[in-house]
């Protein structure tokens, strides 16, 4: 791959220097923050040779290039663009600055809850397991000693994260808001102080103590904030605001003593007297409103929300749902939102699976199948962005499946004992009602899969159109031969020339490796030895191969034919496929290549030629599977 060329093409298609705010990369993706997304031709970027996919998420344009390629393209890109390298965190910060207030608020919720999800998941799983064990013991399905230390301690461990949840949220929120996380933790502790009445006892005991505040102006209930989320976040935001203002105004010699004291005292008083009472009322109203929606007659509310859930994932607002989960857990003992989300995720995974199984396109299959698996595990982005949204109809089918599955969950009153995990492992949060969870998942996935298979993805039409692009006769493949180690056989008939004479500077300079060019006499290229296909481009004009003895080879049909975007080419193999010498790889329309203004020379290059001391070529006329390259 010409990394500089790929970087240059990306640079031009995204709007050049004046449109680039920041650039970073991860293991597989080039992450760009753009000033104006409308100036970027994302479709054209996706068609650049070497680009495996393009999507926008969290304010970033993410260009999938693959491991080992992205870092090389990135180095070229920042040189061409004349910008400095940025870390992923800096790119995220730049992306956040480009977003509106609503999206920044959603991102902040994600920054608060994502770090504490492992703790919530651990408690949720253990709560589910203990509930299942208690059910089996109470109904005499299982006979175990419930007075033993393991059982007793496990019961204690199960709800720990939820009992002290305000502390976890407060610590994480202080980090997200840029304050001292330990002062944030103190505010969380204030909100569940043992001298306050436990919030979970109010329903049975009533409010036991009140306190007049603001010089006797009114009274507040001295009740803790166990299970609450929004009041904790607001209180910590106030803490961080006060702390930052004090850091600016208090002399350095007094800052260590004055700032923590004043910040905690002011925030604590405001929390007990105003923030807590007001935002508990608001939070309870929101949770009750959502529960009313989810319990509409015949499951209609859940049907609607299950259908829309995946769209909110695309919009990036799904992180706020943890607030709903936690609020429902505190108020009802179960979250009825998580099964809805799980149905939506399972449905999108099933839609992607249908695409992967039905597709004959090697790249589509290689992306869809693992993405479907990750979606069933609860990680939906690869399936949604990489497959379903790309073809759109599978995404719609997934939304329908999610809606039907969510409706079933509502009709049977399915709830989860924790949050943080959906998909297959979400079953562990529903061990009190596992059968209904499995039925819900089967309904969601089944409806989505069938709809996608029948209506959502039409592979045969695409194949027929591709077949019409190749007009030349399709000669029969040459007979199989016994391959000799270190030997490359001619993939097509024609005239062999040294690679230095190929009419392309990159090939002639040996940047991709030494080899030969073939002026073809026919429009088909076959496997030049027994080996494995290691790469196939979207534009269908390049195939990478590896022989059993370690030789790495690329067959590139035409010069600059990437600009044809696959028009005139048909590829018959896919990545990972084993091939025998003489097996058909690519068919190409020579006349169409010439009319497009490109030489039709076939480059056959040993990309690891540096590993060999000698590389001998045979020039002149050749037939398919004549010896053309020998290495030693």
């Amino acid at each position: 791959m010409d990394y500089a060329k790929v970087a240059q093409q990306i640079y031009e298609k995204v709007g050049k220097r004046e449109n680039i705010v920041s650039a970073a990369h991860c293991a597989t993706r080039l992450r760009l923050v753009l000033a104006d997304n409308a100036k970027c031709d994302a479709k054209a970027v996706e068609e650049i040779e070497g680009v495996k996919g393009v999507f926008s998420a969290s304010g970033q344009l993410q260009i999938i290039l693959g491991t080992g390629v992205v870092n090389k393209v990135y180095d070229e890109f920042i040189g061409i663009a004349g910008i400095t390298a940025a870390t992923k965190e800096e790119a995220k910060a730049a992306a956040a600055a480009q977003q509106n207030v609503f999206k920044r608020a959603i991102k902040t919720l994600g920054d608060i809850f994502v770090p504490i999800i492992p703790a919530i998941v651990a408690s949720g799983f253990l709560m589910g397991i203990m509930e299942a064990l208690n059910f089996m013991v109470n109904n005499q399905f299982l006979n175990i000693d419930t007075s033993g230390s393991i059982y007793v301690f496990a019961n204690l461990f199960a709800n720990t994260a939820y009992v002290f949840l305000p502390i976890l949220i407060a610590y994480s929120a202080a980090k997200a808001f840029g304050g001292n996380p330990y002062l944030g933790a103190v505010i969380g502790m204030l909100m569940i102080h043992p001298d306050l009445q436990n919030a979970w006892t109010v329903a049975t005991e009533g409010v036991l103590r009140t306190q007049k505040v603001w010089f006797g102006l009114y009274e507040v209930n001295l009740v803790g904030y166990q299970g609450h989320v929004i009041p904790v976040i607001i209180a910590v935001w106030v803490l961080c605001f006060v702390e930052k203002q004090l850091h600016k105004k208090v002399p350095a010699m007094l800052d260590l003593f004055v700032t923590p004291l004043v910040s905690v005292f002011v925030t604590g008083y405001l929390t007990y007297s105003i923030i807590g009472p007001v935002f508990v009322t608001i939070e309870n109203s929101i949770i009750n409103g959502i529960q009313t929606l989810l319990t509409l007659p015949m499951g209609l509310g859940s049907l609607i929300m299950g259908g829309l859930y995946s769209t909110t994932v695309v919009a990036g607002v799904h992180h706020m749902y943890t607030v709903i989960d936690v609020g429902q857990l505190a108020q009802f003992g179960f979250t009825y939102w998580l099964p809805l989300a799980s149905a939506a995720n399972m449905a999108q995974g099933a839609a992607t699976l249908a695409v992967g199984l039905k597709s004959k396109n090697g790249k589509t299959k290689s992306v869809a199948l693992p993405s479907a698996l990750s979606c069933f595990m609860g990680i939906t982005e690869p399936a949604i962005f990489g497959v379903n949204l790309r073809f759109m109809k599978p995404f719609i089918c997934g939304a329908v499946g999610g809606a039907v599955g969510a409706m079933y969950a509502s009709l049977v009153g399915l709830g989860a004992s924790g949050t943080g995990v959906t998909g297959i492992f979400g079953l562990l949060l529903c061990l009190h009602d596992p059968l209904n969870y499995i039925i819900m998942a089967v309904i969601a996935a089944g409806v989505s899969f069938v709809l996608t298979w029948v209506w959502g993805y039409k592979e045969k039409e695409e194949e027929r159109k591709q077949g019409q692009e190749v007009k030349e006769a399709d000669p029969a493949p040459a007979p199989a031969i016994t391959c000799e180690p270190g030997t490359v056989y001619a993939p097509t008939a024609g005239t062999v020339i040294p690679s230095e004479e190929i009419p392309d500077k990159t090939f002639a300079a040996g940047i991709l490796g030494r080899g030969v060019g073939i002026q073809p006499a026919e429009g088909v290229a076959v496997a030049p030895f027994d080996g494995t296909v290691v790469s196939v481009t979207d534009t269908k004009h390049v195939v990478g191969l590896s022989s059993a003895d370690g030789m790495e080879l690329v067959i590139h049909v035409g010069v600059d034919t990437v600009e044809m975007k696959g028009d005139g080419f048909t590829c018959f193999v896919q990545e990972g496929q084993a091939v025998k010498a003489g097996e058909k790889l690519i068919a190409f329309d020579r006349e169409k290549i010439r009319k497009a203004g490109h030489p039709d020379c076939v480059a056959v290059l040993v990309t690891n030629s540096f590993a060999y001391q000698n590389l001998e070529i045979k020039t002149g006329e050749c037939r398919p599977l004549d010896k053309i390259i020998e290495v030693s």
Side-chain angles (χ1 to χ4, degrees):
M1 182 184 296
D2 186 339
Y3 304 112
K5 183 178 180 181
V6 174
Q8 181 67 42
Q9 290 175 328
I10 293 175
Y11 173 72
E12 292 173 356
K13 300 302 181 184
V14 300
K16 299 186 177 180
R17 177 67 185 89
E18 58 271 17
N19 198 39
I20 300 171
V21 176
S22 174
H25 76 88
C26 59
T28 60
R29 284 169 277 179
L30 177 64
R31 298 169 176 262
L32 304 180
V33 180
L34 305 179
D36 185 357
N37 287 327
K39 294 180 180 179
C40 169
D41 189 347
K43 185 65 177 176
V45 173
E46 190 166 7
E47 292 171 350
I48 295 172
E49 181 180 358
V51 174
K52 299 179 179 179
V54 177
F55 65 93
S56 295
S58 303
Q60 300 177 1
L61 180 73
Q62 300 189 19
I63 303 171
I64 304 171
L65 292 164
T67 305
V69 175
V70 64
N71 53 313
K72 296 174 183 176
V73 173
Y74 174 74
D75 291 340
E76 297 286 352
F77 182 85
I78 61 174
I80 293 169
I83 59 177
T84 57
T87 64
K88 285 190 291 183
E89 289 70 24
E90 291 170 335
K92 288 180 180 179
Q98 301 293 108
Q99 296 175 333
N100 57 38
V101 174
F102 176 73
K103 287 188 176 181
R104 288 203 298 271
I106 296 302
K107 177 185 179 300
T108 300
L109 284 177
D111 292 341
I112 292 171
F113 284 105
V114 169
I116 65 175
I117 280 178
I120 298 175
V121 168
S123 279
F125 276 176
L126 193 52
M127 286 174 66
I129 292 170
M130 296 310 297
E131 286 177 10
L133 289 176
N134 286 331
F135 174 82
M136 288 187 285
V137 169
N138 293 336
N139 289 275
Q140 299 181 342
F141 297 134
L142 192 65
N143 183 20
I144 58 176
D145 181 12
T146 58
S147 63
S149 61
I150 294 178
Y151 198 92
V152 171
F153 289 170
N155 264 325
L156 288 174
F157 301 157
N159 67 347
T160 299
Y162 293 98
V163 170
F164 298 102
L165 185 62
I167 300 175
L168 293 175
I169 295 174
Y171 180 89
S172 186
K175 293 181 70 175
F177 293 134
N180 186 318
Y182 298 99
L183 295 182
V186 170
I187 295 301
M189 295 173 192
L190 287 175
M191 298 182 78
I192 56 170
H193 196 287
D195 285 350
L196 298 175
Q197 182 182 353
N198 191 302
W200 287 315
T201 66
V202 172
T204 56
E205 299 178 2
V207 177
L208 302 180
R209 292 176 57 197
T210 61
Q211 176 64 52
K212 290 184 177 181
V213 295
W214 297 105
F215 310 105
L217 190 61
Y218 59 91
E219 287 186 344
V220 295
N221 299 329
L222 291 182
V223 176
Y225 294 87
Q226 287 84 0
H228 288 288
V229 175
I230 295 177
V232 181
I233 294 174
I234 300 299
V236 174
W237 181 84
V238 171
L239 169 81
C240 294
F241 176 80
V242 173
E243 181 190 2
K244 290 175 183 178
Q245 296 304 311
L246 290 173
H247 279 314
K248 294 177 182 177
K249 297 176 181 179
V250 174
M253 63 183 298
L254 300 175
D255 185 57
L256 177 62
F257 309 101
V258 173
T259 298
L261 172 63
V262 175
S263 298
V264 170
F265 183 82
V266 170
T267 303
Y269 194 88
L270 290 173
T271 298
Y272 282 171
S273 62
I274 298 176
I275 296 172
V278 170
F279 284 97
V280 160
T281 303
I282 293 173
E283 182 179 271
N284 287 339
S285 299
I286 293 172
I287 299 301
N288 288 329
I290 291 172
Q291 187 64 10
T292 300
L293 173 65
L294 296 182
T295 53
L296 285 175
M298 301 183 68
L300 292 179
S302 292
L303 176 77
I304 295 170
M305 296 313 301
L308 294 177
Y309 183 87
S310 296
T311 303
T312 65
V313 172
V314 174
V317 301
H318 55 298
H319 290 304
M320 68 180 181
Y321 296 145
T322 306
V323 177
I324 299 174
D325 285 330
V326 173
Q328 289 198 324
L329 285 166
Q331 195 159 333
F332 308 120
F334 293 101
T335 167
Y336 300 96
W337 186 268
L338 185 129
L340 177 155
S342 201
N345 292 346
M346 294 288 281
Q348 290 294 334
T352 307
L353 179 63
V355 172
L357 294 177
K358 193 173 183 182
S359 177
K360 300 294 191 298
N361 182 287
K363 181 177 180 181
T364 300
K365 189 180 291 289
S366 66
V367 171
L369 294 179
S371 296
L373 178 60
S374 70
C375 202
F376 289 139
M377 300 298 179
I379 308 300
T380 60
E381 282 81 354
I384 290 177
F385 290 107
V387 179
N388 294 353
L389 278 179
R390 178 182 171 192
F391 299 108
M392 187 47 72
K393 285 184 179 180
F395 181 79
I396 296 172
C397 295
V400 174
V404 178
M407 181 175 69
Y408 175 82
S410 177
L411 291 174
V412 298
L414 181 63
S417 62
T419 185
V421 177
T422 60
I424 293 172
F425 290 119
L427 176 65
L428 295 176
L429 300 175
C430 298
L431 291 178
H432 57 283
D433 194 3
L435 181 60
N436 277 321
Y437 186 90
I438 293 170
I439 294 173
M440 174 207 72
V442 170
I443 290 174
V447 170
S448 175
F449 185 92
V450 171
L451 284 177
T452 305
W453 190 274
V454 174
W455 174 79
Y457 186 70
K458 303 294 184 183
E459 177 76 6
K460 290 183 179 179
E461 293 179 9
E462 296 175 8
E463 286 181 339
R464 187 158 56 247
K465 290 178 182 178
Q466 291 175 358
Q468 291 171 352
E469 295 173 355
V470 180
K471 303 268 178 79
E472 291 193 356
D474 189 6
I481 61 170
T482 301
C483 295
E484 299 176 7
T487 302
V488 178
Y489 300 87
T492 188
T495 304
V496 181
I497 60 175
S499 56
E500 292 80 7
E501 296 179 15
I502 298 175
D504 179 89
K505 292 182 179 179
T506 300
F507 296 155
I511 294 175
L512 295 181
R514 297 165 57 204
V516 301
I518 301 177
Q519 301 291 354
E522 57 188 28
V524 66
V526 300
F529 48 54
D530 297 342
T532 304
V533 178
V534 295
S535 65
V536 178
T537 62
D538 284 348
T539 45
K540 298 171 284 187
H541 72 293
V542 183
V543 172
L545 301 162
S546 176
S547 70
D549 57 350
M551 186 190 303
E552 298 173 4
L553 193 81
V554 66
I555 297 176
H556 190 295
V557 179
V559 174
D560 291 330
T561 40
V562 65
E563 297 175 4
M564 296 177 68
K565 301 175 183 177
D567 185 26
F569 296 88
T570 299
C571 186
F572 300 98
V573 293
Q574 61 189 33
E575 293 179 10
Q577 179 178 333
V579 292
K580 291 289 187 180
E583 192 171 333
K584 194 188 304 181
L585 300 178
I586 304 172
F588 51 96
D589 190 330
R590 296 171 58 211
E591 184 63 26
K592 187 170 284 190
I593 293 172
R594 288 192 291 267
K595 285 183 178 180
H598 305 296
D600 62 357
C601 182
V602 178
V604 183
L605 306 173
V606 181
T607 56
N608 63 339
S609 55
F610 60 86
Y612 301 101
Q613 290 184 347
N614 297 310
L615 187 147
E616 298 180 4
I617 65 172
K618 296 180 180 180
T619 58
E621 297 299 315
C622 73
R623 296 171 301 175
L625 298 186
D626 282 350
K627 289 183 181 180
I628 56 172
I629 300 175
E630 291 184 276
V631 299
S632 60

